[in-house]
Amino acid sequence: MKRQQIKENKGDRIFSYFNGAMMLLVIMVCFYTILYVFNASISSTSAINANVGKLLFPKDVTFGAYRMALSHPLIVTGFKNIFKMLAFSLPLNMLLTVLCGYFMASKNIMFKNAIVSFFMFTMFFNGGLIPSFLNQKELGLYNNIWALIIPGALSLYNAIICKSAIESIPDSLVESAKIDGAGDFTILFKIIVPVIKPTLAVLLLYYGVGLWNNWFNASIYIEDNDLLPIQNILRSVLLANNESLNQGAASADTMNHFAETIKYAAICISTIPILCIYPFLQKYFVKGIMIGSVKG
């Protein structure tokens, strides 16, 4: 049996063409930005300074900026620190998010509304930067990598997404497991978690990208340069104000030769790992976000 196609009127077609044109324009703008940064990173500084207008192809191709950036000890140390943070933080993030989402999705829990209201209160109000700094210092977390992990161990927004995904699971599935004698942890980790894997994959991406791009907390709580993540090192390169970053990296002439292109090279180096992860999680992205959004 053939499906009947819905005929579009003239207004619908104009709207579709307009949306398509706008999306194409946005894609072109975003793609050109990426293309410009990459082309500039493998071009010489003199060519970049002399270039006027668009940069569709690299000029005077050289990979010296990449070699200098990758050979700098702070760049390597920054990558080591960020990967160490991800290794410790992501399992903790996902565990707390799943537990919090399961609690908020559960029924017949004493004082649940009051507890959830307290959770929601923290989304709109916080103590501020100075109390947070003093709190971290009193807890002994200042200048410690755990200062970048523990305060952001749970995102309530992500927990609410997880809660919506859990609520979309049929109640009969959970009730049958309880009849068979399964406890909460068995239900959560052996029944619910496998069902909501798409949502968890998206939340994992949220936590990973957020931690990867978070430079502000490290600039406040970390004093030792050897503990700084890659984004803080990148920020120092972009601002070109950190003299310690330039010591021992190369001669003054070499630094002047790559003064401009090393900024673009640093951007590419810090962005490529995230770009490599997106294709593997793309199939979960839309499904993970939409699950639980419409519940009949």
Side-chain angles (χ1 to χ4, degrees):
M1 183 178 179
K2 295 183 179 180
R3 294 182 178 179
Q4 295 181 352
Q5 295 182 352
I6 300 177
K7 294 183 178 180
E8 293 183 344
N9 55 37
K10 185 177 180 180
D12 292 335
R13 289 195 297 270
I14 294 175
F15 182 74
S16 299
Y17 293 148
F18 177 78
N19 279 347
M22 290 300 297
M23 288 302 301
L24 182 61
L25 179 61
V26 171
I27 292 172
M28 290 175 62
V29 171
C30 295
F31 178 75
Y32 175 71
T33 303
I34 299 174
L35 182 65
Y36 182 92
V37 172
F38 176 73
N39 289 337
S41 68
I42 59 176
S43 301
S44 66
T45 298
S46 58
I48 294 298
N49 293 333
N51 179 72
V52 178
K54 298 183 294 295
L55 184 65
L56 298 178
F57 301 97
K59 297 182 178 180
D60 193 10
V61 177
T62 176
F63 293 92
Y66 282 95
R67 287 194 296 268
M68 187 168 61
L70 292 174
S71 65
H72 199 285
L74 285 183
I75 294 291
V76 176
T77 303
F79 272 111
K80 289 181 180 179
N81 291 334
I82 192 64
F83 286 130
K84 187 187 300 183
M85 289 167 55
L86 290 171
F88 285 108
S89 182
L90 291 182
L92 180 63
N93 294 148
M94 298 308 299
L95 177 62
L96 294 179
T97 301
V98 169
L99 292 176
C100 184
Y102 180 70
F103 169 79
M104 291 191 293
S106 299
K107 299 178 176 63
N108 300 322
I109 295 180
M110 186 178 296
F111 306 121
K112 175 187 171 181
N113 292 335
I115 297 174
V116 173
S117 299
F118 178 76
F119 288 169
M120 300 297 294
F121 179 84
T122 63
M123 294 185 66
F124 301 99
F125 302 95
N126 60 72
L129 180 59
I130 295 178
S132 298
F133 177 81
L134 296 176
N135 186 38
Q136 296 279 56
K137 196 169 183 179
E138 290 296 326
L139 291 174
L141 297 177
Y142 180 72
N143 202 29
N144 192 314
I145 193 173
W146 289 103
L148 309 178
I149 297 176
I150 295 179
L154 173 65
S155 169
L156 187 58
Y157 176 80
N158 291 342
I160 293 174
I161 295 178
C162 184
K163 164 184 171 292
S164 300
I166 295 175
E167 288 178 339
S168 67
I169 299 175
D171 294 336
S172 58
L173 185 63
V174 177
E175 291 172 357
S176 61
K178 290 182 178 180
I179 292 175
D180 292 336
D184 287 323
F185 283 99
T186 301
I187 294 173
L188 177 59
F189 292 105
K190 291 189 177 181
I191 297 177
I192 293 178
V193 169
V195 174
I196 63 171
K197 275 184 178 180
T199 301
L200 297 182
V202 175
L203 297 182
L204 185 68
L205 182 64
Y206 282 174
Y207 278 118
V209 173
L211 189 63
W212 186 275
N213 293 329
N214 187 10
W215 61 270
F216 182 75
N217 288 344
S219 65
I220 298 297
Y221 302 126
I222 302 298
E223 184 179 8
D224 190 354
N225 289 336
D226 292 332
L227 297 178
L228 290 175
I230 184 61
Q231 293 300 336
N232 292 82
I233 306 301
L234 172 61
R235 181 172 179 269
S236 299
V237 173
L238 294 177
L239 295 178
N241 290 327
N242 192 347
E243 296 180 0
S244 63
L245 190 66
N246 298 333
Q247 293 177 356
S251 64
D253 294 338
T254 305
M255 284 298 301
N256 291 333
H257 183 68
F258 295 108
E260 188 70 20
T261 56
I262 192 174
K263 299 178 182 180
Y264 297 107
I267 294 174
C268 292
I269 291 171
S270 65
T271 306
I272 287 174
I274 293 296
L275 293 179
C276 293
I277 296 175
Y278 268 105
F280 296 100
L281 298 177
Q282 183 180 5
K283 61 180 179 180
Y284 298 113
F285 197 81
V286 176
K287 184 178 179 181
I289 289 297
M290 294 304 295
I291 187 171
S293 60
V294 179
K295 186 177 179 182

